[in-house]
Amino acid sequence: MIPFFEEVSAVLPDSDGFYSSAFISDYVHHYLFYENDTNKSIQLISKKNEIGLFEWTVNRFYLEGKEFPIESLKENKLTFILLNDFNSNKIIDADELRIVRIQFD
């Protein structure tokens, strides 16, 4: 079983519905979404056709239970693998996998 599909592995957002911290782990996951200007956990920066550019503002990250400010990152990029079992068949099909590379400025 892939732990990312377990409900208890989700990180709770801050009281405003956004995440000010990024938890980097092979078990926990953040629920980042943008439905519209009201229902969202990330900011929409621009959109062209069906492709959106989003911003996730974080001040710190947690790695192996330790807190680090973003400025302490030795690398300014992270790669995230996003899985979404759209048809709920517990198999990740080709169109259900996304790779997102994030660059910190």
Side-chain angles (χ1 to χ4, degrees):
M1 172 166 220
I2 298 173
F4 297 107
F5 293 136
E6 295 180 24
E7 291 181 22
V8 296
S9 65
V11 175
L12 294 177
D14 299 340
S15 61
D16 62 1
F18 292 89
Y19 296 97
S20 61
S21 302
F23 289 81
I24 302 169
S25 168
D26 60 356
Y27 184 74
V28 301
H29 68 275
H30 299 80
Y31 183 54
L32 302 176
F33 68 95
Y34 182 90
E35 185 176 332
N36 55 44
D37 284 340
T38 304
N39 193 18
K40 61 187 176 183
S41 67
I42 55 176
Q43 298 291 337
L44 175 66
I45 303 301
S46 66
K47 186 175 180 181
K48 184 176 181 180
N49 299 322
E50 293 297 314
I51 305 295
L53 176 63
F54 300 94
E55 180 177 75
W56 176 23
T57 304
V58 294
N59 302 318
R60 62 194 167 281
F61 67 98
Y62 291 87
L63 178 62
E64 296 177 1
K66 297 178 184 172
E67 179 181 334
F68 298 92
I70 293 297
E71 298 81 18
S72 71
L73 278 175
K74 292 181 182 174
E75 299 289 330
N76 67 343
K77 296 178 184 175
L78 291 175
T79 300
F80 291 87
I81 309 297
L82 305 174
L83 308 170
N84 196 339
D85 190 12
F86 294 114
N87 56 10
S88 299
N89 66 353
K90 298 189 187 277
I91 297 171
I92 302 303
D93 302 312
D95 63 338
E96 297 174 333
L97 169 69
R98 301 288 187 268
I99 299 174
V100 177
R101 290 178 177 84
I102 297 177
Q103 179 171 333
F104 295 95
D105 294 326

